Amino acid sequence: AQTVTQSQPEMSVQEAETVTLSCTYDTSESDYYLFWYKQPPSRQMILVIRQEAYKQQNATENRFSVNFQKAAKSFSLKISDSQLGDAAMYFCAYRSQPGSAGTASKLTFGTGTRLQVTL
Amino acid sequence: GAVVSQHPSRVICKSGTSVKIECRSLDFQATTMFWYRQFPKKSLMLMATSNEGSKATYEQGVEKDKFLINHASLTLSTLTVTSAHPEDSSFYICSARQAGRVTGELFFGEGSRLTVL
């Protein structure tokens, strides 16, 4: 079974600064998806960024980028120019490729990192 | 983007009663929906996978007779907590996989907070 580990329960960053959230995972599969989701106080999960394992290029979405190290099974999220609205819980998630035997397409989540953004 | 709506967002019920939570995909067809449970300041725990027109697949340790899941159409799945007890109080979140979408992400509802008195 796949596992996802987020070793930072809480992080803090000053507004306009950059912060990196860590995520490692364990899998025996060679092709899969990785995601970062954001859960603000409203509690609705919002997709921040997605990475396909077969792609070597790191995904970027505006101020959000990832550092995907497949061999190390590491998938960190970098938030640049942090804004107050970035304050939330951030969850790293893993998903097998659809069709993998016995896995369906469910997401496995890490335990989350609570990000605080200070003035 | 794809929108998933959950209803109700908050529900308070007496112990022993049953509560139904609806999860709807508003602008896409969802062949598969997932139900998660989240305890305060904790991660999401998958409860079950709901496939349209077939029985749900429950995760180990989840009582299927207590958490009834029905996925009768491509846009609606329901979770019924039967004979609810205070320990069932939690935040329940549904997510949906869009039929035909190959990029892998799931779309989440707003969540439903259940409080059992």
Side-chain angles (χ1 to χ4, degrees):
Chain A
Q2 293 81 25
T3 58
V4 178
T5 302
Q6 292 179 250
S7 59
Q8 306 155 315
E10 291 190 6
M11 292 285 284
S12 182
V13 63
Q14 281 192 322
E15 199 177 18
E17 296 296 310
T18 296
V19 65
T20 299
L21 308 184
S22 302
C23 173
T24 58
Y25 58 94
D26 188 26
T27 184
S28 59
E29 298 173 337
S30 60
D31 205 7
Y32 44 86
Y33 297 104
L34 294 165
F35 306 91
W36 278 97
Y37 279 89
K38 169 184 177 182
Q39 188 180 38
S42 67
R43 305 302 296 273
Q44 183 163 17
M45 300 285 280
I46 302 167
L47 177 67
V48 174
I49 201 164
R50 169 186 63 240
Q51 175 81 43
E52 290 95 334
Y54 69 87
K55 291 186 177 178
Q56 292 185 338
Q57 187 173 9
N58 289 324
T60 62
E61 284 288 345
N62 301 315
R63 297 182 296 107
F64 299 89
S65 62
V66 298
N67 183 3
F68 173 48
Q69 301 290 327
K70 191 172 183 179
K73 297 179 182 175
S74 171
F75 182 60
S76 61
L77 174 69
K78 185 171 82 171
I79 306 175
S80 305
D81 186 25
S82 297
Q83 301 175 358
L84 294 177
D86 295 334
M89 280 289 288
Y90 285 81
F91 291 98
C92 179
Y94 174 103
R95 181 187 169 210
S96 298
Q97 272 287 351
S100 299
T103 57
S105 55
K106 59 186 179 184
L107 287 178
T108 301
F109 287 91
T111 49
T113 297
R114 181 170 301 280
L115 178 66
Q116 290 184 321
V117 181
T118 59
L119 294 172
Chain B
V3 178
V4 175
S5 177
Q6 257 182 266
H7 178 80
S9 57
R10 290 177 181 271
V11 57
I12 300 172
C13 69
K14 291 183 179 179
S15 186
T17 61
S18 294
V19 174
K20 180 186 283 189
I21 300 170
E22 293 187 346
C23 178
R24 293 182 184 272
S25 56
L26 298 186
D27 51 359
F28 66 98
Q29 292 184 330
T31 50
T32 305
M33 288 185 174
F34 302 88
W35 287 94
Y36 291 86
R37 182 172 180 176
Q38 187 179 28
F39 292 99
K41 298 185 179 181
K42 298 292 184 183
S43 188
L44 282 72
M45 291 176 46
L46 180 65
M47 298 174 66
T49 302
S50 166
N51 293 297
E52 186 267 337
S54 64
K55 290 183 179 180
T57 302
Y58 289 82
E59 295 298 300
Q60 193 171 13
V62 178
E63 300 176 60
K64 58 184 177 183
D65 293 332
K66 180 163 189 66
F67 298 100
L68 300 179
I69 291 171
N70 183 275
H71 192 159
S73 76
L74 285 171
T75 59
L76 174 65
S77 176
T78 60
L79 167 67
T80 301
V81 183
T82 62
S83 186
H85 290 282
E87 58 266 29
D88 299 324
S89 298
S90 192
F91 193 67
Y92 294 89
I93 305 175
C94 75
S95 67
R97 176 171 172 259
Q98 185 175 7
R101 192 176 187 111
V102 299
T103 49
E105 70 266 36
L106 300 181
F107 300 96
F108 286 81
E110 310 97 321
S112 300
R113 179 168 299 287
L114 170 63
T115 302
V116 185
L117 302 176

